[in-house]
């Protein structure tokens, strides 16, 4: 083993490379803190972005704060996977946490939206490795058959963050100052203590064997991937404002297509040293499952985007209340992911879970498509719980299938590829579903107003609100900011809310058909027996076999 090899964990028990449950849980604590950073950041920002943009006088450019983060996190994800296969997981994970913390501190002291966008890009560089490397490290430590039990903890962190994030974000965004610092700045500074503890735990306890792979870093592939993905991410954020067929949008499509062609050509020429080796796509399980990750990402992010809009616009919930109302989905994810993990560990079978899960997700989407303005909240929450069960059955098992299929030396790049395809699917899904929503909402609202134009109560309310009547008559209703609904007469607001509810139903319906595509695809997945060896043990076995081969030849 080379000089760059990390120290082996002391007191390793049992078979070579096998860690005790206590050792795994100690390392897992550090990994989960890293995952918590990324998960909380996403959900906190969702409820605090508007306030931050107000404070920095940049509402019109706030989308670039999100875009900058998405660009760097998406592009860096496969880089972390490949670099960790070459240099080892520990240094790359420590680098990811450090970059995220540096970006967090800088963001906390930004004085303009342009500065904040730049610092969020630094945060994204770290975020790209937090989730993918944590899952790759877990794959190094635990066999596929046992891994699903531990992956449930990652799902628990994400689920908990979806509830805590809006609460924390709403608290800091609403506070003028906290400990003498502007409240909104703590949206970023709150990451610092969590990240420091994570750094200490990972630095002290994550000591696993690693043999450095003498590969070149695929800089050309990284550049080509960036050329392909950056235009996609920009058009996803700006397409509705620019127009999907505008010259700027067409330029983005063209640059992205050229980048994709260049990426394939570069990866083909780089062979095993490629950022994403094309030989992996010759493996049916790897290629099909990443296709599933992409399609599922489209449907899943469509649902995740539409539910808060329904709760906050149609039902009038605050971001904090919206997070709390989503508790049934979180509970469903936790119960299903933990339960399926235990069953996979006992039986060694996993295909039945994503098959069932995708069926449940499809059914949930079609049920969501039936909810409206007057739907009792308890019914919506029941559907949320059902959708959560479907997600919990799918997400970890699809990753498990990929990790079980690829050679141990490719564990990092395989894990990051799953994150990458799901992220790209989510980006596409968010752009497509937002486009669908805002392309139909005007007509739906117009239809709702037409249905009440002779209603005496509506006409009376309209007479009492001449300014709104004038706005309605001139067609000047601004749907980019729906805060006016909070103070509008409920009788006048009802047609607008009905139009939004029906438009969101359309999004759910399309998402249901997308989920059905994934449900059909999953039946073609060939279930392979789950290995009972961890990534470290598989690498050790491969090295022993390679060393024995020359001896056998003599």
């Amino acid at each position: 083993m080379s000089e760059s090899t990390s120290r082996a964990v002391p007191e390793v028990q049992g078979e070579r490379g096998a860690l005790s449950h206590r050792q795994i849980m100690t390392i897992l604590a550090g990994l989960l803190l890293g995952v918590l950073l990324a998960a909380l950041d996403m959900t906190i920002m969702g409820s605090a972005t508007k306030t931050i943009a107000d404070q920095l006088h940049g509402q019109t450019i706030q989308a670039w704060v999100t875009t900058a983060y998405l660009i760097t996190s998406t592009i860096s994800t496969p880089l972390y996977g490949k670099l960790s296969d070459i240099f080892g997981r520990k240094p790359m994970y420590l680098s990811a946490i450090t970059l995220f913390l540096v970006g967090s501190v800088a963001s906390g002291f930004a004085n303009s939206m342009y500065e904040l966008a730049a610092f969020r890009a630094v945060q994204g560089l770290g975020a790209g490795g937090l989730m993918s490397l944590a899952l790759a490290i877990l794959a190094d430590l635990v066999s596929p058959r046992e891994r699903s039990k531990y992956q449930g903890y990652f799902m628990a962190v994400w689920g908990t963050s979806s509830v805590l994030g809006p609460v924390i974000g709403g608290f800091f965004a609403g506070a003028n100052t906290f400990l003498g610092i502007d409240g909104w700045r703590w949206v970023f500074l709150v990451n610092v203590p969590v990240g420091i503890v994570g750094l200490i735990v990972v630095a002290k306890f994550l000591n696993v064997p690693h043999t450095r792979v003498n590969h070149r870093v695929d800089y050309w592939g990284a550049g080509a991937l960036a050329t392909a993905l950056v235009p996609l991410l920009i058009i996803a954020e700006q397409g509705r404002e620019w127009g999907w067929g505008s010259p700027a949008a067409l330029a983005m499509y063209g640059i992205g297509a050229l980048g994709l062609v260049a990426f394939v050509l570069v990866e083909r020429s780089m062979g095993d040293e490629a950022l994403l080796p094309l030989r992996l796509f010759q493996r049916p399980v790897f290629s099909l499952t990443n296709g599933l990750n992409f399609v599922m990402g489209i449907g899943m992010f469509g649902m995740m985007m539409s539910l808060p809009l329904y709760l906050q616009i149609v039902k009038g919930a605050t971001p904090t209340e919206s997070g709390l109302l989503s508790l049934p989905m979180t509970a469903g994810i936790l119960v299903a992911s933990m339960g399926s993990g235990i069953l996979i560990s006992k039986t060694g079978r996993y295909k039945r879970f994503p098959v069932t899960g995708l069926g449940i997700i499809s059914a949930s989407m079609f049920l969501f498509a039936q909810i409206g303005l007057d739907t009792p909240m308890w019914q919506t929450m029941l559907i949320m719980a059902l959708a959560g069960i479907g997600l919990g059955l799918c997400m970890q098992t699809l990753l498990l299938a990929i990790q079980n299929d690829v050679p141990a030396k490719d564990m990092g790049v395989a894990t990051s590829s799953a994150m990458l395809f799901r992220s790209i699917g989510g980006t596409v899904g968010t752009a497509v579903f937002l486009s669908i929503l805002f392309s139909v909402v005007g007509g739906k609202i117009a239809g709702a107003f037409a249905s009440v134009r002779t209603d005496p109560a509506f006409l009376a309310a309209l007479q009492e609100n001449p300014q709104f009547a004038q706005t309605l008559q001139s067609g000047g209703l601004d749907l980019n900011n729906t805060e006016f609904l909070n103070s509008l007469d409920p009788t006048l607001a009802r047609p607008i809310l009905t139009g939004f509810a029906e438009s969101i139903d359309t999004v759910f319906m399309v998402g249901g058909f997308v989920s059905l595509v994934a449900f059909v695809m999953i039946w073609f997945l060939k279930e392979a027996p789950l290995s009972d060896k961890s990534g470290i043990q598989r690498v050790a076995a491969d090295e022993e076999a390679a060393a024995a081969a020359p001896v056998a030849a003599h």
Side-chain angles (χ1 to χ4, degrees):
M1 200 170 290
S2 68
E3 292 298 321
S4 64
T5 301
S6 304
R7 291 183 299 109
V9 178
E11 300 177 13
V12 172
Q13 299 178 0
E15 189 179 350
R16 180 185 174 188
L19 275 66
S20 68
H21 175 71
R22 182 177 179 180
Q23 289 171 319
I24 293 170
M25 291 303 298
T26 301
I27 295 172
L28 192 64
L31 301 181
L32 290 175
L33 286 172
V35 173
L36 180 64
L37 284 175
L40 268 181
D41 182 78
M42 291 179 65
T43 53
I44 287 176
M45 280 299 293
S47 59
T49 299
K50 183 181 181 300
T51 301
I52 294 171
D54 284 337
Q55 293 291 322
L56 295 177
H57 308 291
Q59 281 291 351
T60 57
I61 59 171
Q62 67 168 284
W64 288 105
V65 173
T66 305
T67 304
Y69 181 90
L70 277 174
I71 287 172
T72 53
S73 62
T74 303
I75 292 171
S76 62
T77 295
L79 272 171
Y80 276 112
K82 185 64 177 180
L83 292 175
S84 72
D85 284 339
I86 298 174
F87 301 110
R89 313 276 188 245
K90 180 175 180 177
M92 298 314 301
Y93 201 62
L94 291 174
S95 299
I97 296 177
T98 302
L99 277 171
F100 191 88
L101 288 181
V102 169
S104 297
V105 173
S107 296
F109 292 100
N111 293 310
S112 72
M113 287 297 280
Y114 292 107
E115 284 186 10
L116 183 59
F119 298 145
R120 285 285 287 168
V122 177
Q123 259 191 307
L125 286 174
L130 292 178
M131 186 67 177
S132 61
L133 285 183
L135 291 167
I137 291 167
L138 183 64
D140 288 339
L141 303 178
V142 186
S143 71
R145 184 156 179 165
E146 296 294 320
R147 194 177 306 152
S148 53
K149 291 191 298 185
Y150 294 98
Q151 284 179 342
Y153 291 106
F154 290 89
M155 301 298 296
V157 168
W158 276 99
T160 304
S161 299
S162 69
V163 177
L164 287 180
V167 175
I168 296 172
F171 170 77
F172 286 130
N176 289 325
T177 60
F178 184 75
L179 299 180
I181 300 174
D182 291 340
W184 69 264
R185 297 185 184 275
W186 284 99
V187 167
F188 306 103
L189 298 179
V190 73
N191 295 326
V192 176
V194 178
I196 289 175
V197 174
L199 273 175
I200 294 171
V201 173
V202 172
K204 183 173 182 180
F205 295 104
L206 182 59
N207 300 305
V208 294
H210 172 73
T211 303
R212 174 170 175 155
V213 180
N214 292 318
H215 277 180
R216 293 174 296 167
V217 178
D218 183 13
Y219 294 112
W220 286 105
L225 182 64
T227 305
L229 290 182
V230 168
L232 170 68
L233 295 167
I234 290 176
I235 196 64
E237 287 289 329
Q238 305 295 326
R240 191 164 57 87
E241 181 179 335
W242 291 352
W244 299 105
S246 66
L250 293 175
M252 292 295 102
Y253 301 145
I255 294 170
L258 289 174
L260 180 60
V261 172
F263 179 69
V264 173
L265 293 176
V266 170
E267 299 306 273
R268 181 180 295 175
S269 67
M270 290 292 291
D272 274 358
E273 296 181 324
L275 183 67
L276 186 56
L278 297 184
R279 60 177 166 76
L280 292 177
F281 290 95
Q282 297 173 2
R283 309 179 73 93
V285 171
F286 179 88
S287 55
L288 176 63
T289 308
N290 271 326
L292 274 166
N293 278 320
F294 175 76
V295 176
M296 184 179 162
I298 294 175
M300 181 177 71
F301 278 77
M303 177 170 61
M304 297 298 191
M305 175 210 76
S306 301
L307 269 177
L309 288 177
Y310 173 78
L311 294 173
Q312 293 176 37
I313 295 177
V314 178
K315 290 297 187 180
T318 65
T320 300
E321 291 168 345
S322 175
L324 294 173
L325 288 169
S326 301
L327 269 173
M329 180 176 285
T330 302
I333 290 174
L334 296 184
V335 170
S337 60
M338 292 289 191
S340 62
I342 293 171
L343 291 173
I344 289 171
S345 176
K346 288 183 177 180
T347 64
R349 306 291 299 275
Y350 62 87
K351 181 177 176 178
R352 65 188 71 173
F353 298 108
V355 169
T356 305
L358 284 167
I360 291 174
I361 291 173
S362 300
S364 301
M365 295 288 268
F366 290 123
L367 289 173
F368 276 132
Q370 310 306 313
I371 61 178
L373 176 58
D374 298 318
T375 302
M377 186 55 69
W378 66 267
Q379 291 184 13
T380 305
M381 294 174 79
L382 278 178
I383 304 173
M384 286 186 200
L386 189 65
I389 291 172
L391 289 172
L393 291 174
C394 285
M395 294 176 70
Q396 66 171 351
T397 45
L398 292 177
L399 177 62
L400 190 66
I402 288 178
Q403 292 178 332
N404 185 61
D405 180 61
V406 300
K409 65 177 183 176
D410 295 316
M411 192 64 69
V413 71
T415 304
S416 64
S417 73
M419 302 291 105
L420 176 66
F421 280 97
R422 188 176 297 168
S423 177
I424 294 173
T427 300
V428 171
T430 301
V432 169
F433 289 128
L434 275 175
S435 180
I436 292 172
L437 174 65
F438 285 98
S439 65
V440 302
V441 69
K444 297 286 188 183
I445 291 175
F449 273 119
S451 66
V452 297
R453 66 177 181 268
T454 58
D455 187 311
F458 175 77
L459 293 174
L462 205 57
Q463 287 181 346
E464 293 175 7
N465 294 268
Q467 186 175 358
F468 179 76
Q470 185 177 1
T471 301
L472 200 61
Q473 190 171 11
S474 64
L477 205 61
D478 183 11
L479 299 180
N480 288 314
N481 187 344
T482 57
E483 286 188 352
F484 72 92
L485 292 171
N486 297 329
S487 57
L488 188 63
D489 186 305
T491 304
L492 299 178
R494 184 175 179 82
I496 302 174
L497 298 178
T498 300
F500 263 107
E502 292 177 355
S503 302
I504 292 171
D505 285 349
T506 302
V507 171
F508 280 128
M509 183 65 70
V510 175
F513 285 111
V514 172
S515 300
L516 274 181
V517 172
F519 178 67
V520 172
M521 290 173 66
I522 191 64
W523 288 95
F524 295 94
L525 178 67
K526 184 178 180 181
E527 184 176 25
L530 289 177
S531 170
D532 58 358
K533 295 183 181 295
S534 68
I536 296 172
Q537 292 170 320
R538 290 169 62 190
V539 168
D542 291 343
E543 289 176 353
E544 289 174 359
V551 177
H554 289 290

